[in-house]
Amino acid sequence: MKAGTNLEKVLESGMFAVTAEAGPPKGTGAAVIQRKGELLRYCCDAINVTDNQTAIVRMSSLASCVLLKQGGVDPVLQIVCRDRNRLAIQSDVLGAAAVGIGNILCLSGDHQKFGNHPNTKNVFDIDSIHLIQTLKMMRDEKKFLCGEDISGEVPLFIGAAANPYADPFEFRVVRLAKKVKAGADFIQTQAVYDMDKFAKWMEMITDRGLEKQVHILAGVIPIKSAGMARYMRDYVPGVSVPDEVVTRMEEAKNPKEEGARIVIDIIEQLKEIPGVHGIHIMAVGWEDIVPEIVEKAGLLPRPVL
Amino acid sequence: MKTITEQKPLEEVMQPLEKCERVYLIGCGTCATLLHTGGKSEVLEMKDKLEEAGKKVTGWMVIPTACDELTREALRENAKDIEAADAVLVMTCAFGVQTVTLYIDKPVYPALNTLFIGKEESPGCFTEVCMQCGNCVLVQTAGICPLVRCPKSLLNGPCGGSEGGKCEISPDTDCAWQKIYDRLEALGQLDKLEEIQPLRDWSTTYGGGPRKIIIS
Ligand code: SF4
Ligand code: SF4
């Protein structure tokens, strides 16, 4: 075991893992994140907290993860490279380790242009692949990037993202391989809707044997309304929502039910794809639907390890 | 290669001149002329605007290359008119402004924003291709700079936001890393993208005070 987190235990035991995402509040209410933890803890193995997602300021991921941890949840700390340099990042990692947060997801971060502080200066001192390397070095060599020693253990289970739908398609598996080489233990993918493309991507991964070196969690996003489907199709960078999904949502009598059904169908298919080790549900702003999705997808109860 | 400038809004230009009655105007015959931001005609236009605003323009000149050492001579030759002014308004890039500042004791104000060192891609279209980082990585990136051309300055791109050759920040911006990919593919060097590019040493770039070099 590298960190001994619940997520690591579930994945290492070979079980199909379930994680979800919780967006922290645009404010100071600890109860907001605690309530999400309470809601999700019985249906997920770990909960991700986003780090100023889409460049909109929210409660810090680290503080939110502490709150979740206190509530008995295994948190996944997301860190983006947009807002912090290598000093700040390494210092946050030490803090996370000190409070027993073991899962960290390494991301580049959405560009600030679309956030609520478009006039800010981005950092991007290091990129997401460097971030993975940094965490691996801190954990395995107990050294900072500068080469100095770290006192104490840094038990980490290192995560990274992958987007099978970005271009160039052929490069996507290469990029994943680079992340694995850098030290990723698990991967969360961008939301899957187009199953054929995803299956093809997974095939390229299994051809390289990468699924044996890293745990792949396929991302899913439940869509609440036809408007949201269109918005995601047209405006959210990196997300690819096929027209059929938009049509299905437009024609649905009860869009919320339909949105949940679409995701459950997708999960059923994902379970059958070789090399997929779990799912990651990103229902930011609609976390209430997660327990129902997990239950109807036949993934309850979650293992107690 | 040109220093790309744009005129500041008139209101902003006027603001520091509020308490000045007499102004001397300087333009530049090189980049600012080409960009139509500080050539002769723009200097004369500014003269009219200042006069409309009730200022007296004690004189003006367009220095052939304002960032050059010869600027000192030009300032000396026009010392009388400059002396008569309360402030000097400089319609050149920031290199020119700071050259003028070196040799004049009066307040020197810029009328332009200096945007970037640009390359003329097609007539009238200037783009940024290098930010003078001091540690060039073009060897790994097929001659296309990821530091300026990728909005995240990624060294291991393309990121998950690259779609149809365009960058996630705008459909008008090409994804630099798609371009790098295409060129490496054409050169038969795609294997370069399998290597992880190491963390960057930014100390050559900025944040360490002014960069300086002495050639003996
Ligand atoms: S890497 Fe880019 S910014 Fe740096 S010197 Fe080369 S072209 Fe210029
Ligand atoms: S889409 Fe391309 S250019 Fe834009 S941030 Fe990502 S890698 Fe950089």
Side-chain angles (χ1 to χ4, degrees):
Chain A
M1 283 284 149
K2 287 167 173 161
T5 62
N6 190 53
L7 178 61
E8 184 181 9
K9 285 182 195 156
V10 171
L11 286 169
E12 286 298 318
S13 72
M15 274 179 274
F16 195 81
V18 178
T19 62
E21 207 150 281
K26 266 172 121 173
T28 57
V32 177
I33 203 84
Q34 285 160 337
R35 197 191 68 83
K36 289 184 185 179
E38 206 44 51
L39 173 80
L40 299 173
R41 60 184 286 204
Y42 296 105
C43 60
C44 300
D45 305 315
I47 302 177
N48 273 241
V49 184
T50 51
D51 181 11
N52 291 335
Q53 195 178 30
T54 60
I56 289 174
V57 180
R58 292 175 180 277
M59 184 189 289
S60 80
S61 180
L62 184 54
S64 307
C65 284
V66 171
L67 291 168
L68 287 179
K69 177 99 194 155
Q70 287 166 350
V73 171
D74 183 28
V76 181
L77 172 69
Q78 294 196 357
I79 297 182
V80 300
C81 298
R82 180 196 57 229
D83 304 335
R84 288 180 198 82
N85 66 10
R86 60 190 87 178
L87 273 84
I89 288 175
Q90 292 178 98
S91 130
D92 277 356
V93 171
L94 295 182
V99 295
I101 294 165
N103 310 307
I104 299 186
L105 186 80
C106 305
L107 302 166
S108 303
D110 306 304
H111 196 268
Q112 71 275 10
K113 186 175 173 188
F114 303 106
N116 62 357
H117 291 73
N119 299 335
T120 191
K121 181 176 184 304
N122 61 32
V123 180
F124 295 117
D125 173 18
I126 61 175
D127 65 27
S128 57
I129 292 181
H130 298 145
L131 179 53
I132 299 166
Q133 286 181 316
T134 305
L135 300 195
K136 185 174 160 60
M137 183 172 173
M138 291 178 81
R139 179 189 67 198
D140 296 351
E141 297 170 42
K142 291 213 290 168
K143 283 194 191 309
F144 293 109
L145 284 171
C146 63
E148 285 174 17
D149 290 336
I150 296 172
S151 63
E153 297 297 322
V154 193
L156 297 175
F157 192 50
I158 306 169
N163 185 0
Y165 301 104
D167 291 320
F169 180 64
E170 309 70 42
F171 174 71
R172 292 296 136 193
V173 175
V174 176
R175 187 163 164 86
L176 181 88
K178 280 174 92 166
K179 291 188 173 183
V180 173
K181 193 158 124 193
D185 301 309
F186 69 100
I187 297 288
Q188 290 177 187
T189 77
Q190 184 53 271
V192 176
Y193 292 104
D194 178 343
M195 197 55 71
D196 293 342
K197 199 164 186 181
F198 183 77
K200 194 158 167 230
W201 181 74
M202 278 306 301
E203 217 180 284
M204 287 160 78
I205 284 175
T206 44
D207 283 350
R208 279 197 180 216
L210 289 168
E211 86 291 358
K212 295 191 186 75
Q213 301 165 48
V214 73
H215 298 288
I216 296 172
L217 307 179
V220 291
I221 300 182
I223 299 179
K224 231 176 170 172
S225 64
M228 177 180 167
R230 282 189 295 266
Y231 181 80
M232 283 182 38
R233 181 191 59 190
D234 300 335
Y235 298 111
V236 180
V239 179
S240 130
V241 180
D243 291 334
E244 301 103 77
V245 171
V246 178
T247 317
R248 237 176 109 173
M249 289 302 291
E250 277 168 345
E251 286 168 1
K253 284 207 184 67
N254 185 336
K256 283 188 176 181
E257 250 173 44
E258 187 66 13
R261 202 170 306 130
I262 291 173
V263 160
I264 294 161
D265 287 352
I266 291 171
I267 296 172
E268 290 298 348
Q269 295 177 62
L270 287 170
K271 284 201 267 183
E272 303 306 319
I273 295 184
V276 175
H277 302 181
I279 50 157
H280 174 59
I281 308 170
M282 297 169 276
V284 172
W286 194 24
E287 285 92 348
D288 293 340
I289 193 66
V290 175
E292 186 188 321
I293 291 174
V294 180
E295 191 192 348
K296 291 201 173 142
L299 294 167
L300 281 184
R302 298 310 309 151
V304 180
L305 298 171
Chain B
M1 197 186 86
K2 294 280 175 289
T3 305
I4 309 305
T5 48
E6 65 172 13
Q7 289 201 353
K8 284 179 179 286
L10 189 62
E11 212 174 289
E12 195 185 327
V13 173
M14 287 298 186
Q15 206 255 331
L17 300 175
E18 213 175 55
K19 294 208 175 80
C20 302
E21 278 171 28
R22 292 174 303 265
V23 179
Y24 188 86
L25 269 173
I26 295 176
C28 173
T30 310
C31 307
T33 294
L34 193 99
L35 270 290
H36 305 296
T37 51
K40 186 178 169 190
S41 45
E42 292 79 37
V43 168
L44 291 175
E45 260 170 45
M46 184 61 79
K47 180 173 176 280
D48 289 346
K49 284 177 190 155
L50 290 173
E51 286 168 354
E52 263 169 43
K55 314 276 179 204
K56 177 166 170 36
V57 175
T58 63
W60 62 272
M61 68 170 149
V62 174
I63 301 175
T65 305
C67 59
D68 195 273
E69 262 312 287
L70 293 175
T71 295
R72 187 181 198 164
E73 288 310 309
L75 292 169
R76 208 175 272 154
E77 278 165 25
N78 293 276
K80 217 176 115 231
D81 292 344
I82 295 172
E83 204 41 55
D86 303 316
V88 177
L89 185 64
V90 185
M91 301 176 71
T92 74
C93 75
F95 289 83
V97 177
Q98 296 190 59
T99 307
V100 172
T101 303
L102 269 183
Y103 305 120
I104 291 187
D105 294 334
K106 295 194 175 292
V108 174
Y109 298 122
L112 309 184
N113 282 322
T114 300
L115 303 176
F116 54 90
I117 310 289
K119 188 180 108 42
E120 192 161 13
E121 232 174 40
S122 54
C125 170
F126 296 90
T127 55
E128 187 181 18
V129 296
C130 168
M131 65 171 196
Q132 297 79 46
C133 75
N135 187 2
C136 195
V137 300
L138 292 181
V139 171
Q140 287 89 23
T141 59
I144 295 165
C145 176
L147 294 190
V148 282
R149 295 173 74 168
C150 164
K152 299 179 188 172
S153 295
L154 300 178
L155 292 181
N156 289 290
C159 78
S162 177
E163 217 181 307
K166 297 295 172 190
C167 170
E168 69 173 44
I169 70 151
S170 155
D172 304 328
T173 306
D174 290 332
C175 169
W177 275 100
Q178 174 75 56
K179 283 195 159 336
I180 294 169
Y181 183 94
D182 293 343
R183 209 172 140 75
L184 285 175
E185 188 175 34
L187 295 170
Q189 295 182 355
L190 268 186
D191 53 309
K192 281 196 173 172
L193 287 185
E194 302 253 352
E195 293 162 30
I196 297 176
Q197 294 308 322
L199 275 73
R200 238 191 104 74
D201 174 0
W202 291 105
S203 68
T204 59
T205 310
Y206 51 67
R211 293 180 275 174
K212 187 171 182 171
I213 196 158
I214 297 161
I215 306 164
S216 55

